[in-house]
Amino acid sequence: TQLLEQSPQFLSIQEGENLTVYCNSSSVFSSLQWYRQEPGEGPVLLVTVVTGGEVKKLKRLTFQFGDARKDSSLHITAAQTGDTGLYLCAGLLSGTYKYIFGTGTRLKVLA
Amino acid sequence: DAGVTQSPTHLIKTRGQQVTLRCSPKSGHDTVSWYQQALGQGPQFIFQYYEEEERQRGNFPDRFSGHQFPNYSSELNVNALLLGDSALYLCASSFDSLSSTGELFFGEGSRLTVL
């Protein structure tokens, strides 16, 4: 069974704090995406990483793909209330058309 | 440029009934994937359609079937509904995922409640 485990499952922090969300699997992925989902809406793509060891930065968000392409992390610097939401990682299993989604991290940033 | 559109947005069915959900992909996309998202969980892959054929399937029973039309739009059919089928059903479109980086663009989903 292919699984993508995210941790932590829930996170409540104060505005201005830093946080890291982890996404781990025993499976190898061709690519890995991070999405954010608001209540009542579909997930919205934040970033795609493709190369093992790749690091991408989008303003206050830093995404890293593990060297073996089995894991990833999302780091948010100086969190803002607008960062509140459900963060999902999703991996495209190598050699397939199958996307596996993580269990999700529900982030709440308090003012 | 229209994004992914799904219909209906909400629907209520009773056990044993059948349901059809519809999806129009983002302009320029040729691949449609369907996901089931239970409350508080990540989306679970149901299947993917490309060139009007199912080319990948997740761990869902045969009660779940689909179709893709020549204009790339798609339908998800669920027969003999069970209470456990209550979920948000998400459609995602992409462009030939194995030759691209595989970004998925999601619709807002169809919320199915089975009573």
Side-chain angles (χ1 to χ4, degrees), chain B residues 29-41:
Chain B
H29 285 182
D30 58 5
T31 304
V32 172
S33 303
W34 286 92
Y35 290 82
Q36 180 194 68
Q37 186 176 25
L39 201 60
Q41 297 183 19

Side-chain angles (χ1 to χ4, degrees), chain A residues 1-2 9 30-33 35 37 40-45 48 50 86 88 92-93 95-104 106, chain B residues 33 35 37 40-45 48 55-59 88 90 94 96-98 100-109 111:
Chain A
T1 303
Q2 303 100 356
Q9 189 176 0
S30 302
S31 65
L32 191 137
Q33 292 88 36
Y35 296 82
Q37 186 176 22
E41 299 180 9
V44 175
L45 179 69
T48 296
V50 178
L86 177 67
L88 296 161
L92 176 59
L93 287 173
T96 79
Y97 300 98
K98 189 174 181 181
Y99 293 84
I100 304 294
F101 271 80
T103 47
R106 191 164 298 280
Chain B
S33 303
Y35 290 82
Q37 186 176 25
Q41 297 183 19
Q44 298 292 311
F45 177 75
Q48 184 184 89
R55 72 173 178 181
Q56 190 81 55
R57 189 177 182 92
N59 298 323
L88 179 68
L90 293 164
S94 57
D96 194 17
S97 57
L98 280 191
S100 71
T101 53
E103 289 106 339
L104 299 173
F105 291 82
F106 284 86
E108 294 194 346
R111 171 75 60 190

Side-chain angles (χ1 to χ4, degrees), chain B residues 11-85:
Chain B
L11 68 166
I12 299 173
K13 294 284 187 178
T14 56
R15 281 178 295 176
Q17 284 189 312
Q18 178 264 345
V19 67
T20 297
L21 308 178
R22 296 176 177 82
C23 172
S24 292
K26 179 179 170 67
S27 178
H29 285 182
D30 58 5
T31 304
V32 172
S33 303
W34 286 92
Y35 290 82
Q36 180 194 68
Q37 186 176 25
L39 201 60
Q41 297 183 19
Q44 298 292 311
F45 177 75
I46 302 175
F47 42 54
Q48 184 184 89
Y49 276 84
Y50 174 70
E51 292 188 342
E52 302 179 50
E53 291 191 359
E54 181 186 296
R55 72 173 178 181
Q56 190 81 55
R57 189 177 182 92
N59 298 323
F60 279 80
D62 292 344
R63 298 187 297 109
F64 290 78
S65 64
H67 189 79
Q68 186 179 36
F69 299 94
N71 67 353
Y72 307 120
S73 67
S74 178
E75 289 182 350
L76 164 65
N77 301 292
V78 186
N79 296 321
L81 285 168
L82 304 173
L83 295 179
D85 295 332

